[in-house]
Amino acid sequence: MTCSDLSGAEVSGREPFALHASIPDGSDPRLLASDLYQDPPAPESKERAHGTMGTATSPLLAFAVRRRDPELVGPATPTPQDTKRLSDIDDQGTLRGHVSFALVYRGRVPEDGDVAQGDPVSVIRRALGEALVHYYPLAGRLREVEGRKLVVDCTGEGLLFVEADADAYPTTKACCKSLGGTNHWGGSSPCSPPPPSAPERGAGLRPPFPCMDQLLFDVEGSSGILDCPLVLIQVTRLLCGGLVLTLRLNHTICDAIGIAQFMNAVAELARGLPAPTVAPAWSRELLEARSPPIPSFPHREFDVLPPNGDGPPPPPPADDMVMRSFTFSAAHVAAIKKHLPPLLRDTATSYEALTAFLWRARVTALEIAPGEDVQLVIIANFRGFPELSLPDGYYGNACVPANARATAAALLDGSIGDAVALVRQAKAAVTAEYVRSTLDLLVLRGRPCLAVQNNMFVVSDNRHAGFIHVDFGWGEPVYGGPADTIFALGFLVAGKDRYGKDAAVVPIVLPRPAMERFAAEVGKLCKA
């Protein structure tokens, strides 16, 4: 459970805490070892799991979680029992995994004007069933056919749903208040206010989320790609009246925009609308490779970089990784743009400026050898390309990777303007023909993964996906977006700075010494 005491704290994903699960027969509680991303054995149905957690920068926290049996929530009314092919973007190797999202809501006293009434878990469960009538493929199961092609059998079996309650003990009163009340988001905080110059200590809740394995429990047998539920949702009530909705998605079926569209449909139905305002569109046949497939671009992001000199360093050990979130306000973006030449200063987007800064700061932090090639991969959304004819409401994967390359020396010895220009060139390369070329290459190469390696940094902009607007009738979330990230991937997430202004939250994973160097680069930006 995340709290204001942990805001800005460095969490490696390996900090230990003790989880005690009571036994119905009255015997002594058993002690289970756990950490942030490693799930403990599941306690018996409806038992209460007690946990404590402490870090070097926060006091010991105590909480209790009670989970009910997982259940399948299917469409509220009968739906077609057909089979649908995924697109050739959907079933690439890079997307054959799960991604997690979190929506955190304040506690509040219900008012007469509230649209939704009753227990929020019951409201959300009902609305999920109604939404699945419109998004019925999400209630199906994937299987693989010839050529590793993925199809979804629309069986109506349903998505996986977990109901839970988290009780805050007296030692976590501030934690409960920060999640459910207004102090952490606006007025005086129970903790000392962060200095305004430190982006990683900006206002609001953001990754890493300690005890994530209790807020998004990995139900046994649910984490496969084939023949498993495509979506797992856990809704956890907080004692303070707040609510945490966590979601694990099979990435082949939706991208961030697609699953946010589904969750907004659920929210609209929870608020009493008769149907979603955006009608879902499948239309995956529009994103199939040409016959025969003929790539017209090199797509080097799928190639392994040839080593220069002694070659790239080996990947850092997993147990040395730490995650921190950095909150960049409009003032921080303006400080970056101040160092751009006049033409770029007036035309560069916040994405271009911030991505260029993050790329340079990461290469500096990792101390990559000057002669090594470093690669930035941007994830470009192509929904708006008229040549591809994707309809409004398309909820499949509609993004392709594009890359920028330089040697570490060229990137760091050059100006920030040079880096912004490289980001802009990568964006400009993504055209309708580039998308078709990507489809062709994916099929020709057997649906490969990105060639992720130590020198590659992938940036995905989730600020406009729509999570922050998911309102079940009690207000929008105080955090809505990815729940975690990995070493090679950085997200831009919609958030607020300590003054309540719009900002970009960027969770970053690096080896511990590199994280200190990365934070130092951010500190230089603050002073600027």
Side-chain angles (χ1 to χ4, degrees):
M1 181 182 298
T2 320
C3 68
S4 57
D5 292 334
L6 282 176
S7 182
E10 179 183 281
V11 180
S12 71
R14 302 290 171 184
E15 278 76 1
F17 67 92
L19 178 66
H20 298 269
S22 59
I23 309 298
D25 62 9
S27 58
D28 292 336
R30 53 183 170 171
L31 177 64
L32 309 176
S34 181
D35 60 38
L36 183 59
Y37 295 115
Q38 189 173 27
D39 293 310
E44 296 296 327
S45 172
K46 301 186 183 180
E47 287 183 23
R48 180 168 298 190
H50 303 272
T52 59
M53 180 174 182
T55 72
T57 55
S58 69
L60 191 67
L61 306 177
F63 68 96
V65 175
R66 182 192 300 110
R67 284 185 301 273
R68 294 185 179 272
D69 282 332
E71 60 181 295
L72 289 172
V73 175
T77 60
T79 54
Q81 302 285 302
D82 54 7
T83 296
K84 294 181 176 293
R85 289 169 64 90
L86 270 61
S87 80
D88 286 331
I89 290 287
D90 291 328
D91 58 11
Q92 62 182 288
T94 307
L95 302 183
R96 295 187 182 213
H98 294 89
V99 286
S100 300
F101 301 93
L103 302 171
V104 184
Y105 296 86
R106 299 185 174 94
R108 52 174 293 188
V109 178
E111 301 174 356
D112 292 339
D114 284 343
V115 178
Q117 299 290 336
D119 170 42
V121 174
S122 300
V123 169
I124 293 170
R125 184 193 289 108
R126 171 191 59 77
L128 280 169
E130 294 175 0
L132 286 172
V133 174
H134 304 272
Y135 290 83
Y136 69 90
L138 297 185
R141 300 292 183 268
L142 287 182
R143 62 183 172 90
E144 200 171 64
V145 295
E146 72 286 346
R148 299 186 67 228
K149 185 68 188 174
L150 291 178
V151 299
V152 57
D153 288 330
C154 301
T155 60
E157 291 174 75
L159 56 77
L160 201 55
F161 184 83
V162 178
E163 174 183 352
D165 291 276
D167 301 328
Y169 281 27
T171 53
T172 54
K173 184 176 181 181
C175 177
C176 188
K177 191 172 186 180
S178 69
L179 275 173
T182 59
N183 285 354
H184 188 49
W185 318 111
S188 60
S189 169
C191 300
S192 300
S197 62
E200 76 274 26
R201 294 182 179 274
L205 189 67
R206 57 218 188 275
F209 297 116
C211 307
M212 187 64 186
D213 56 356
Q214 297 305 305
L215 296 176
L216 182 57
F217 189 68
D218 183 11
V219 178
E220 183 177 358
S222 69
S223 58
I225 300 301
L226 304 179
D227 198 28
C228 284
L230 298 174
V231 183
L232 184 155
I233 291 175
Q234 179 171 326
V235 182
T236 305
R237 306 178 191 88
L238 305 178
L239 188 63
C240 53
L243 192 73
V244 179
L245 185 149
T246 49
L247 180 151
R248 192 186 70 197
L249 170 72
N250 184 324
H251 204 340
T252 63
I253 201 72
C254 295
D255 59 13
I257 293 175
I259 196 62
Q261 178 182 307
F262 171 69
M263 292 308 301
N264 274 292
V266 175
E268 289 176 334
L269 295 168
R271 299 199 307 268
L273 273 67
T277 56
V278 176
W282 184 258
S283 302
R284 311 289 171 112
E285 70 281 357
L286 296 174
L287 296 177
E288 291 187 352
R290 293 172 287 203
S291 181
I294 307 175
S296 50
F297 291 85
H299 303 288
R300 294 179 297 174
E301 60 275 8
F302 292 99
D303 297 334
V304 176
L305 290 175
N308 297 322
D310 295 330
D319 58 1
D320 189 41
M321 294 291 187
V322 295
M323 182 194 299
R324 289 170 72 172
S325 279
F326 296 81
T327 304
F328 294 89
S329 67
H332 295 121
V333 175
I336 298 171
K337 291 185 177 183
K338 184 172 65 174
H339 296 283
L340 300 179
L343 181 60
L344 273 180
R345 189 182 309 151
D346 296 335
T347 59
T349 65
S350 61
Y351 173 83
E352 292 167 347
L354 188 52
T355 298
F357 170 82
L358 293 169
W359 186 22
R360 282 164 51 96
R362 187 177 184 274
V363 170
T364 298
L366 289 171
E367 297 182 330
I368 296 173
E372 287 294 329
D373 283 340
V374 292
Q375 184 173 188
L376 172 75
V377 174
I378 65 169
I379 304 300
N381 173 30
F382 56 79
R383 278 176 169 79
F385 291 7
E387 305 95 323
L388 299 177
S389 303
L390 291 184
D392 293 340
Y394 184 82
Y395 63 100
N397 289 280
C399 297
V400 290
N403 74 88
R405 286 191 182 193
T407 64
L411 181 67
L412 300 182
D413 293 343
S415 68
I416 183 68
D418 296 334
V420 169
L422 288 173
V423 175
R424 178 170 285 191
Q425 289 169 15
K427 285 176 57 182
V430 181
T431 62
E433 176 58 27
Y434 183 94
V435 173
R436 294 189 182 101
S437 177
T438 303
L439 292 167
D440 291 349
L441 179 131
L442 288 170
V443 170
L444 275 179
R445 293 200 187 174
R447 312 182 194 282
C449 295
L450 284 174
V452 176
Q453 51 205 294
N454 207 23
N455 293 359
M456 178 184 283
F457 182 40
V458 183
V459 178
S460 178
D461 189 356
N462 277 212
R463 290 174 298 171
H464 311 294
F467 294 107
I468 202 66
H469 302 302
V470 177
D471 177 4
F472 296 104
W474 295 280
E476 295 182 342
V478 291
Y479 177 85
D484 55 25
T485 189
I486 57 176
F487 172 60
L489 175 62
F491 289 108
L492 272 58
V493 186
K496 301 290 183 182
D497 65 17
R498 70 185 303 268
Y499 302 107
K501 303 294 186 181
D502 289 341
V505 175
V506 183
I508 293 288
V509 171
L510 287 170
R512 191 176 299 275
M515 183 62 79
E516 295 307 314
R517 293 189 289 268
F518 185 90
E521 292 299 306
V522 174
K524 295 176 185 177
L525 174 65
C526 299
K527 293 177 182 177

